Amino acid sequence: MYPLRRQFSHVGRLLQQSKLTATSEIEMSHFNQLASTWWDVNGPQRILHKMNLLRMDFINDTIKSHLKLNKGITNPEEQIYVPPFNVDNVLPKEIADRINGEQEIRRQQLWQQLKLDALDIGCGGGILSESLARLPVVNRVKGIDLSTEVLEVARQHKELDPMVREKLTYELKAVEDLDPKTEQYDVVTMFEMLEHVNYPAEVLKAALRHVKPGGWIFISTINRDLISWFTTIFMGEHILKIVPLGTHTYDKYINEKELGQWVEDGHENPDLDDLRKQFEVAGSKGCVYLPCYGWKFTDNAEVGNYFMALKRRE
Amino acid sequence: MFQVIRRFATSVSNVADIVIIGGGPAGLTLGTALKNSPITKHLKIHLVEGGQIIEPLTSFLETPPPNYLNRVVSLTPSTIGFLDSIGAWSHFNQERTQSYDDIVTYDGVSGARMNFEHPNIATMVETTNIQAGLLSRLNELNSQQEVKLVIQEDTKVISIAKDSITQWPTLQLSNGDSLTCRLLLGCDGYNSPVRHFAGIESRGWSYNRWGVVATLKFADTEFRFPTGWQRFLPTGPLALLPLPNGYTSIVWSTTPELAEMLLSLDETEFLSMVNAGTRLSTEELSMIYDLAKSKSPDLLEQIQWRLNLFADKLKPADEEDFPLQVAEIVTGSRARFPLKLSHADTYVEDRVALVGDAAHTTHPLAGQGLNMGQEDVKSLVEALERATSRGLDIGNSLALEPYFSERWPKNHVLLGVVDKIHKIYSTDFAPFVAARSFGVDVLNSLGPIKDFMVGTISGNSKR
């Protein structure tokens, strides 16, 4: 839940010293504690593991629902019928089922042909990065984070699974330090990240540079409202203590409307080089954590936690 | 075709995503369903079976045995629907299956009866037919796909341990190989070694009863629609389940003593005993058991005389309340198996899941055992599909928990209900008999409740 965000980390150098100074002893034990609990599904990071399920659902559903079923098919015989209305309410059930069935088959075919490159910004211990790497449609994944300890956790863990070992790489880098010419991705993710940085707009701008045409940015963060304060800070940190004290700062929460507005502002910016002009908000979904059950999608993205997808034009 | 790995000169270390231990109906259904699903078909799966199955099952379909085998199960429409959805049902030898619309249960002491009617309420299928059909479908799927499911037959698991670094289960096999996997699925029966490896406790008790099975043929006296019969005797129920062409598979659940007696009778005596069991009063039966145990030469005569008396007293209108008499037996089809109740404390642990008899066993009186296992498979495959499409490590408990939370409570209830039915009918103490008979009479006339019961027996399928 809390990728340690220290821009200038001295810890890496300290750990390399053969002498164990007092400072590095604390850091070592802190690292060891992190390492052992980050990936414990029943441990302190359980909420994060549960949220990962929704993250993957959101990514899968968003990309699949935006696949162009008749892309590149000019022969009308081969085209799939995509009516401009919702068939389920208008046509008889059998016909609606057939139309939906054909669409689903084509959608599956197109989905299975994808070969996506993904960048996970603020990857932490690698929970999302590994899930992405395991998908057959994902070609490779790069995870970046600014904390050496947490990256070490991620690197060690990926060695345990042959399915992710080859497809996944980790780098200790900030997104603004990546080369936009060579580091281009189909999918860029920034989950539970924006509410922890000091200049979210700058980080977002930097992230936009790494999205291929037709590619995606997936974001999750928290709205700045009473419900969020109640659930994530009051209940989460103070009462139930499921989240370490001080993880979240209320002023840093970003409203869904504000994010959408930020993209709009780019469209209206007279500066033609503004990358935001190429992006649209493709969808957003709220979610809420129910103790003993897990995370659940809600219809209201303007209250509490939420996901958002931005798509770049082809 | 299959990649059949037999003995290697040098030991090989294999790594798979899933290892299924057990080539019975549970293991084969699981393997077939996983290969059939577009979401999980790319996973590397091994199925390890201690006995030889490929040749016997293949030849079952190519040259079907002349007689019906004595291991037969009753499949619910829900189970058949599932087998059909994975493309396996059409590979079964359909001619050897018998669907029926009627189930009649009657009290051995009071005669109170219940009649369940529903089109295709259940279908009798030989266990070997199920396995053969699944293997055939697996063959078909393997030929269509790049990543093939590997069957290692004639291979026993010597030991299971956790890899010291990755914690993945590693098996030492009897052919010298070792096999490491992300997820180990125990479809290995009541004594499941996988369950022991995972440290999962199983609780229950032995019923101190044996199920005596045999394949018999009804006398060719008149036409009857295929019906499932079950008479609840105080020592245990006697069930006659329909097979094609006038044959019937019986399951007589009874005390160890009586089971031994039944197996020791010659064929004619045994047939008479079964006819007695479906018709004569419990007092008469007691007397007949004593005659049989003392190996009296009058046994056959006594039974016949009493059966004639019974037939004389029977009104023609009531004839259809009893099954036809049995007249032939398939030699060598008599066998017995011990009956016990068991339920594992949990179905999932880190990198391990249990399915079928490894997870639970029950009394055969309700015909639910194998069907529960099939529902387990369906639920587990759905959980694995979901986990795979989310990119999860399928061995992780987060991926497996939905299977446990969906199946355990339902199985627990069904096991409990069947157990209570067994207990209720295990007595001839008059007040209990009166109470249960009254209950049965009432239930039999309450339409909505019976519909509900029929729905539950047949697995609530929408077929």
Side-chain angles (χ1 to χ4, degrees):
Chain A
M1 208 79 180
Y2 51 105
L4 301 173
R5 216 145 279 294
R6 295 201 289 277
Q7 284 274 3
F8 305 105
S9 170
H10 302 283
V11 175
R13 277 179 264 136
L14 276 173
L15 283 174
Q16 280 157 23
Q17 285 174 3
S18 50
K19 265 192 276 185
L20 278 178
T21 63
T23 328
S24 53
E25 238 174 279
I26 296 172
E27 297 292 349
M28 281 298 243
S29 72
H30 181 61
F31 159 71
N32 288 332
Q33 216 183 20
L34 260 187
S36 61
T37 63
W38 196 283
W39 279 96
D40 179 5
V41 164
N42 294 309
Q45 302 287 32
R46 187 176 171 81
I47 284 196
L48 200 56
H49 283 279
K50 284 283 210 169
M51 211 213 198
N52 188 50
L53 305 178
L54 252 60
R55 289 172 176 173
M56 293 307 295
D57 282 348
F58 186 66
I59 295 176
N60 280 337
D61 292 343
T62 309
I63 298 183
K64 276 196 187 145
S65 60
H66 280 80
L67 288 171
K68 297 249 176 324
L69 301 182
N70 290 316
K71 185 173 180 182
I73 297 178
T74 43
N75 182 356
E77 301 277 314
E78 291 173 27
Q79 283 183 355
I80 296 286
Y81 178 50
V82 185
F85 51 86
N86 184 353
V87 294
D88 295 313
N89 297 330
V90 175
L91 297 175
K93 187 168 187 308
E94 275 167 20
I95 303 187
D97 283 348
R98 240 191 100 193
I99 294 179
N100 287 331
E102 279 181 7
Q103 287 184 10
E104 195 48 42
I105 294 177
R106 174 63 64 85
R107 200 170 283 126
Q108 276 290 12
Q109 284 175 346
L110 292 174
W111 169 255
Q112 279 162 7
Q113 288 164 11
L114 294 176
K115 289 254 164 297
L116 305 170
D117 292 337
L119 174 69
D120 187 11
I121 304 177
C123 61
I127 296 177
L128 178 78
S129 303
E130 285 199 14
S131 297
L132 283 172
R134 278 196 202 92
L135 293 184
V137 301
V138 167
N139 183 37
R140 64 185 179 96
V141 181
K142 176 179 281 195
I144 61 174
D145 202 276
L146 290 174
S147 158
T148 359
E149 302 99 343
V150 168
L151 268 186
E152 190 51 36
V153 170
R155 281 195 183 107
Q156 278 193 10
H157 195 265
K158 87 161 187 169
E159 289 304 315
L160 300 178
D161 188 344
M163 214 185 228
V164 301
R165 227 180 268 150
E166 312 302 327
K167 284 163 98 172
L168 183 47
T169 45
Y170 289 113
E171 272 186 30
L172 185 70
K173 264 208 164 114
V175 59
E176 53 264 30
D177 296 331
L178 291 173
D179 180 358
K181 285 199 220 53
T182 54
E183 308 263 6
Q184 287 286 304
Y185 296 91
D186 301 287
V187 169
V188 172
T189 61
M190 308 165 77
F191 287 120
E192 300 301 294
M193 190 232 153
L194 286 179
E195 72 271 17
H196 293 284
V197 301
N198 290 324
Y199 300 103
E202 294 303 313
V203 178
L204 256 176
K205 249 207 263 181
L208 292 185
R209 303 176 314 171
H210 298 281
V211 182
K212 291 185 197 165
W216 296 90
I217 293 196
F218 291 99
I219 302 165
S220 79
T221 187
I222 312 177
N223 281 298
R224 204 172 53 253
D225 62 66
L226 187 57
I227 304 276
S228 301
W229 174 83
F230 183 76
T231 56
T232 64
I233 297 181
F234 184 62
M235 294 301 284
E237 290 184 19
H238 292 100
I239 304 296
L240 299 175
K241 299 199 205 299
I242 333 178
V243 179
L245 215 51
T247 303
H248 288 127
T249 314
Y250 183 72
D251 321 337
K252 284 181 154 173
Y253 286 178
I254 305 169
N255 286 338
E256 191 255 354
K257 276 211 147 37
E258 288 168 339
L259 261 183
Q261 189 58 50
W262 179 81
V263 178
E264 267 304 304
D265 290 345
H267 292 181
E268 270 142 46
N269 188 352
D271 177 5
L272 293 171
D273 285 332
D274 193 329
L275 257 185
R276 286 178 281 176
K277 290 188 197 302
Q278 310 237 351
F279 286 84
E280 297 281 345
V281 175
S284 48
K285 259 185 125 64
C287 61
V288 67
Y289 180 71
L290 301 170
C292 294
Y293 173 79
W295 289 92
K296 214 170 143 61
F297 280 123
T298 68
D299 284 329
N300 190 350
E302 295 177 24
V303 169
N305 297 62
Y306 65 99
F307 291 96
M308 184 184 269
L310 304 178
K311 189 175 200 297
R312 183 173 179 174
R313 258 180 259 149
E314 302 279 341
Chain B
M1 278 310 275
F2 306 113
Q3 214 182 314
V4 178
I5 300 185
R6 293 196 188 276
R7 285 150 214 287
F8 284 99
T10 57
S11 95
V12 169
S13 188
N14 279 307
V15 181
D17 288 307
I18 296 179
V19 168
I20 299 173
I21 301 200
L28 285 171
T29 310
L30 199 38
T32 309
L34 289 171
K35 290 308 285 168
N36 177 72
S37 162
I39 304 176
T40 52
K41 66 180 184 182
H42 65 282
L43 296 172
K44 215 169 153 221
I45 309 176
H46 280 235
L47 191 149
V48 178
E49 162 60 42
Q52 283 219 3
I53 50 171
I54 297 182
E55 203 274 317
L57 294 181
T58 317
S59 67
F60 177 88
L61 288 180
E62 283 171 4
T63 38
N67 289 310
Y68 296 109
L69 305 176
N70 65 1
R71 292 193 66 204
V72 193
V73 284
S74 179
L75 297 185
T76 60
S78 177
T79 297
I80 296 182
F82 177 54
L83 289 168
D84 194 29
S85 73
I86 62 176
W89 178 243
S90 55
H91 290 249
F92 287 36
N93 182 325
Q94 302 291 334
E95 286 169 2
R96 295 176 79 98
T97 69
Q98 180 66 57
S99 77
Y100 52 109
D101 307 338
D102 243 302
I103 293 181
V104 177
T105 66
Y106 54 123
D107 192 319
V109 179
S110 68
R113 55 182 55 227
M114 280 191 89
N115 211 310
F116 301 94
E117 272 171 45
H118 181 83
N120 291 324
I121 199 173
T123 307
M124 299 305 297
V125 184
E126 293 156 296
T127 316
T128 312
N129 198 355
I130 300 176
Q131 289 172 274
L134 288 165
L135 199 65
S136 172
R137 171 61 175 156
L138 207 41
N139 198 356
E140 189 177 61
L141 288 168
N142 267 351
S143 69
Q144 295 166 352
Q145 295 176 11
E146 261 186 57
V147 179
K148 300 182 194 303
L149 185 146
V150 174
I151 296 189
Q152 293 182 244
E153 62 170 354
D154 220 1
T155 306
K156 295 196 178 25
V157 177
I158 311 278
S159 67
I160 313 176
K162 284 196 193 176
D163 180 282
S164 49
I165 304 176
T166 60
Q167 300 295 301
W168 286 26
T170 304
L171 300 97
Q172 291 302 327
L173 303 177
S174 57
N175 62 3
D177 292 351
S178 74
L179 184 55
T180 306
C181 61
R182 181 190 297 276
L183 174 61
L184 185 58
L185 298 176
C187 306
D188 44 357
Y190 171 67
N191 286 313
S192 173
V194 173
R195 194 179 68 231
H196 288 121
F197 159 70
I200 300 175
E201 287 282 336
S202 173
R203 296 170 207 284
W205 46 82
S206 158
Y207 281 118
N208 199 30
R209 296 281 186 278
W210 289 75
V212 174
V213 296
T215 315
L216 311 177
K217 191 162 197 254
F218 287 120
D220 206 1
T221 47
E222 64 185 74
F223 172 76
R224 290 280 187 93
F225 286 107
T227 307
W229 298 93
Q230 179 143 278
R231 187 176 191 213
F232 284 99
L233 299 168
T235 47
L238 166 58
L240 281 77
L241 300 157
L243 292 173
N245 301 318
Y247 281 86
T248 178
S249 176
I250 70 154
V251 183
W252 194 334
S253 310
T254 191
T255 61
E257 253 195 334
L258 291 178
E260 228 186 283
M261 178 271 286
L262 287 171
L263 289 177
S264 69
L265 298 173
D266 69 40
E267 290 189 349
T268 330
E269 289 170 335
F270 181 76
L271 286 168
S272 299
M273 190 63 86
V274 171
N275 288 326
T278 59
R279 288 158 162 69
L280 301 179
S281 69
T282 41
E283 294 85 10
E284 289 181 290
L285 283 176
S286 263
M287 207 215 64
I288 291 173
Y289 296 153
D290 287 338
L291 282 179
K293 276 185 258 179
S294 63
K295 306 237 189 273
S296 161
D298 300 325
L299 177 64
L300 215 44
E301 220 191 292
Q302 269 292 313
I303 300 181
Q304 206 45 56
W305 176 66
R306 288 175 185 282
L307 284 175
N308 290 339
L309 265 182
F310 178 87
D312 288 337
K313 278 197 267 173
L314 193 61
K315 297 194 217 90
D318 294 340
E319 268 172 35
E320 298 219 339
D321 283 349
F322 297 91
L324 293 172
Q325 294 207 27
V326 289
E328 285 173 45
I329 178 172
V330 170
T331 309
S333 67
R334 260 186 290 176
R336 63 173 184 168
F337 59 97
L339 306 183
K340 46 190 175 295
L341 166 75
S342 74
H343 202 189
D345 282 352
T346 178
Y347 293 167
V348 306
E349 269 295 333
D350 233 17
R351 306 204 175 279
V352 170
L354 304 175
V355 183
D357 278 4
H360 46 71
T361 60
T362 182
H363 198 291
L365 66 84
Q368 294 300 313
L370 187 130
N371 292 297
M372 283 163 75
Q374 291 288 306
E375 296 287 333
D376 288 350
V377 170
K378 186 169 178 216
S379 172
L380 179 57
V381 169
E382 274 170 15
L384 291 176
E385 281 179 331
R386 227 149 172 227
T388 307
S389 57
R390 285 166 162 173
L392 300 182
D393 180 346
I394 49 174
N396 198 285
S397 53
L398 256 186
L400 301 170
E401 268 163 14
Y403 158 60
F404 165 63
S405 46
E406 187 181 39
R407 290 306 301 161
W408 200 94
K410 288 192 186 148
N411 285 342
H412 201 69
V413 167
L414 195 47
L415 289 172
V417 166
V418 170
D419 186 55
K420 302 299 171 289
I421 297 179
H422 162 74
K423 291 186 158 78
I424 291 174
Y425 277 102
S426 292
T427 176
D428 53 6
F429 184 51
F432 285 178
V433 173
R436 75 187 184 216
S437 305
F438 176 68
V440 160
D441 285 338
V442 169
L443 283 179
N444 198 39
S445 51
L446 287 178
I449 302 214
K450 276 233 310 219
D451 287 342
F452 171 71
M453 289 172 73
V454 168
T456 313
I457 296 173
S458 56
N460 278 324
S461 163
K462 303 247 187 315
R463 242 171 143 246

